[in-house]
Amino acid sequence: MVTAIVGANWGDEGKGKLTDMLAEESDIIVRFQGGSNAGHTIVNEYGKFALHILPSGVFYRHTTSVIGNGVALNIPDLFREINGIVERGVPMPKMKVSDRAQIVMPYHILFDEYEEERLAGKSFGSTKSGIAPFFSDKFAKVGIQVSELFDEELLREKLESVCVQKNILLEHLYHKPLLKVDELMDTLREYRKMVEPYVCDVSAYLYEAQKQGRRILLEGQLGSLKDPDHGIFPMVTSSSTLAGYGAVGAGLPPYEIKRIVAVVKAYSSAVGAGEFVSEIFGDEAEELRRRGGDGGEYGATTGRPRRMGWFDAVASRYGCRVQGATEAALTVLDVLGYLDEIPVCVGYEIDGRVTRDFPTTASLKKAKPVYEILPGWRSDIRGITEYDELPENCRRYIEFVEKELEVPVKMVSNGPARHEIIKR
Ligand code: GDP
């Protein structure tokens, strides 16, 4: 049985918390896309953690954490993260790293920085983790696979060819120091030492695990609106954020992904530039930002203040649909308890016409939000464990959201901690 847990919005929906929770009833947790560019925040008995590359199930003794072939693997980041949690008392996680995962090279990170610098004000707001240059190389077929770390001759040949091309850009476009093959070989030898004990044919491992009836959880990073195909192009990430990609990025049959939990935020937040129809500004935004998440809405990787907005039903319904969500989990609902009235964006007005369908970016640029105002519940709902005990207006909000999403809301999260969840 394979479950996927994915974001329906811009990311930062609280997937980390939900994954940590669902991991309790899973055997294997797999990261299938993205890299160490975004962060998940998890609060549990060991403390508060920001994970970037480790699957959120690493805190349990009974789970195996897997880095699938679809991940942009930053090996030093992975080991820094493992050491970081072990130092804080978490048992050494059982890890597997796909032999088909490709490696984020130091030059990917440099190129990310140099390109942001070159684009200056027109940049994509990259986290400068090397993700876009990494995926460019992967699809240009000049990336380096984990399996290739074990063949020095091939590695050197590959690096020699890579350096010729990269050094032309470094010299003439960016005016930066050139790459040296010997230094890169040394780095890759270090990487090999770090990763060797964990290298695994992940697809075969998961095939066997499935035959034995083990429960597999696919953990997505970011959200639908950051998908390179279905998201708000070009303000997207470089690998698919959709559950469907879980089949590719982990090496599983697509029809085995039976349960797809889309995490939907009770309000909106986004980082970086890009279209955001229900965005709010000024004091109104500042108050929501300050009260949001667990200690405010600031990026887990960059610390940047997140852009804030009201719940966007148009974007979230679309976000659930492209995920193929079989259910939704509504998060951070407790945060809205201070409001008398809560606006919800139910339509986009584009050129004088109102639509409920999420458009492509050019139309999105022209879209103005159409709001419906729901009454607030003016109380703290943290600590409530039964749906029926929620204030009536809070239930009305959830039911309104559910109707708009066209997907059943089966879980409601009313606090950052692992067990602050109401099941319906
Ligand atoms: P992710 O990348 O989707 O895992 O999201 P982040 O971890 O970046 O952002 C979610 C933030 O909200 C974190 O600080 C969580 O601890 C926090 N959080 C998650 N669920 C809830 C919730 O139901 N209520 C509150 N107040 N905070 C939550």
Side-chain angles (χ1 to χ4, degrees):
M1 159 85 180
V2 183
T3 298
I5 176 140
V6 285
N9 305 122
W10 284 261
D12 307 317
E13 297 94 349
K15 292 177 299 297
K17 174 199 155 156
L18 264 293
T19 312
D20 181 53
M21 207 199 82
L22 290 177
E24 206 167 0
E25 53 207 56
S26 307
D27 302 305
I28 301 165
I29 296 102
V30 191
R31 281 282 313 270
F32 62 91
Q33 45 85 234
S36 52
N37 48 331
H40 284 323
T41 315
I42 296 165
V43 185
N44 57 29
E45 72 264 32
Y46 298 103
K48 181 172 175 175
F49 296 87
L51 298 184
H52 303 284
I53 179 104
L54 277 176
S56 303
V58 290
F59 298 100
Y60 297 99
R61 280 169 204 271
H62 70 278
T63 57
T64 301
S65 299
V66 176
I67 305 287
N69 56 276
V71 172
L73 174 63
N74 182 317
I75 294 176
D77 274 0
L78 177 66
F79 288 88
R80 245 192 310 276
E81 230 164 76
I82 295 177
N83 292 337
I85 64 166
V86 171
E87 271 166 22
R88 288 175 62 190
V90 179
M92 185 67 191
K94 282 182 276 188
M95 284 286 312
K96 299 208 180 286
V97 174
S98 168
D99 54 2
R100 291 176 184 272
Q102 294 197 15
I103 300 165
V104 177
M105 295 293 288
Y107 51 76
H108 290 138
I109 297 164
L110 293 174
F111 274 98
D112 212 348
E113 281 170 23
Y114 299 161
E115 185 61 9
E116 287 279 302
E117 210 175 292
R118 188 180 75 85
L119 293 172
K122 291 191 171 146
S123 78
F124 291 91
S126 161
T127 56
K128 301 187 187 130
S129 318
I131 300 301
F134 165 91
F135 281 106
S136 307
D137 277 3
K138 177 172 177 176
F139 293 109
K141 295 167 286 188
V142 295
I144 294 171
Q145 226 181 40
V146 166
S147 66
E148 294 174 333
L149 289 175
F150 301 91
D151 185 339
E152 290 227 358
E153 211 172 306
L154 174 137
L155 265 189
R156 180 171 288 277
E157 212 173 283
K158 222 168 162 169
L159 285 175
E160 271 162 5
S161 154
V162 164
C163 283
V164 170
Q165 190 213 33
K166 305 263 178 234
N167 281 342
I168 290 173
L169 290 174
L170 286 170
E171 185 172 351
H172 298 288
L173 182 64
Y174 299 116
H175 314 293
K176 298 285 183 186
L178 305 189
L179 302 175
K180 297 193 183 73
V181 173
D182 284 338
E183 281 176 16
L184 291 170
M185 282 299 291
D186 288 343
T187 304
L188 289 179
R189 285 190 197 104
E190 286 296 309
Y191 287 5
R192 183 178 65 209
K193 260 192 261 163
M194 289 190 247
V195 82
E196 191 164 11
Y198 307 102
V199 177
C200 169
D201 179 344
V202 162
S203 175
Y205 169 76
L206 294 177
Y207 178 73
E208 286 305 320
Q210 265 210 294
K211 279 206 294 197
Q212 291 160 14
R214 298 179 75 194
R215 298 156 303 176
I216 299 169
L217 184 63
L218 297 172
E219 173 181 5
Q221 181 206 41
L222 297 171
S224 304
L225 305 176
K226 293 282 183 188
D227 183 74
D229 284 82
H230 296 279
I232 306 172
F233 183 81
M235 293 306 183
V236 291
T237 191
S238 307
S239 62
S240 177
T241 56
L242 304 183
Y245 191 73
V248 179
L252 281 164
Y255 53 80
E256 294 294 350
I257 309 173
K258 301 272 195 261
R259 182 181 177 203
I260 300 176
V261 182
V263 185
V264 178
K265 206 161 172 160
Y267 51 87
S268 301
S269 71
V271 276
E275 283 56 47
F276 185 178
V277 177
S278 66
E279 185 168 12
I280 55 175
F281 303 91
D283 292 346
E284 195 179 36
E286 188 45 43
E287 173 138 45
L288 186 54
R289 183 178 302 115
R290 190 168 53 73
R291 293 172 177 272
D294 179 23
E297 292 281 358
Y298 302 92
T301 303
T302 57
R304 284 185 287 194
R306 292 178 181 149
R307 296 162 66 196
M308 307 302 299
W310 301 123
F311 177 76
D312 182 336
V314 180
S316 302
R317 178 172 48 251
Y318 174 80
C320 286
R321 174 164 69 76
V322 294
Q323 290 291 8
T326 57
E327 64 187 272
L330 188 65
T331 57
V332 293
L333 189 63
D334 51 304
V335 169
L336 299 179
Y338 71 98
L339 292 157
D340 289 321
E341 292 184 320
I342 312 175
V344 170
C345 174
V346 293
Y348 291 171
E349 191 193 315
I350 301 170
D351 296 332
R353 248 192 75 239
V354 174
T355 177
R356 292 177 82 240
D357 296 325
F358 192 78
T360 54
T361 310
S363 298
L364 200 57
K365 283 183 197 301
K366 298 187 274 183
K368 294 190 186 62
V370 177
Y371 286 116
E372 198 162 317
I373 309 289
L374 302 191
W377 48 92
R378 298 268 347 159
S379 62
D380 186 3
I381 59 164
R382 284 189 70 179
I384 296 179
T385 54
E386 296 300 323
Y387 186 72
D388 292 337
E389 284 162 24
L390 287 169
E392 190 188 343
N393 283 348
C394 182
R395 278 181 280 134
R396 276 173 65 185
Y397 189 85
I398 297 164
E399 285 153 27
F400 186 90
V401 165
E402 180 172 56
K403 193 171 78 9
E404 289 289 322
L405 291 179
E406 297 172 11
V407 172
V409 173
K410 293 206 176 158
M411 289 181 279
V412 175
S413 173
N414 60 336
R418 191 182 267 174
H419 294 289
E420 290 182 291
I421 198 96
I422 300 169
K423 293 188 177 150
R424 291 177 77 206

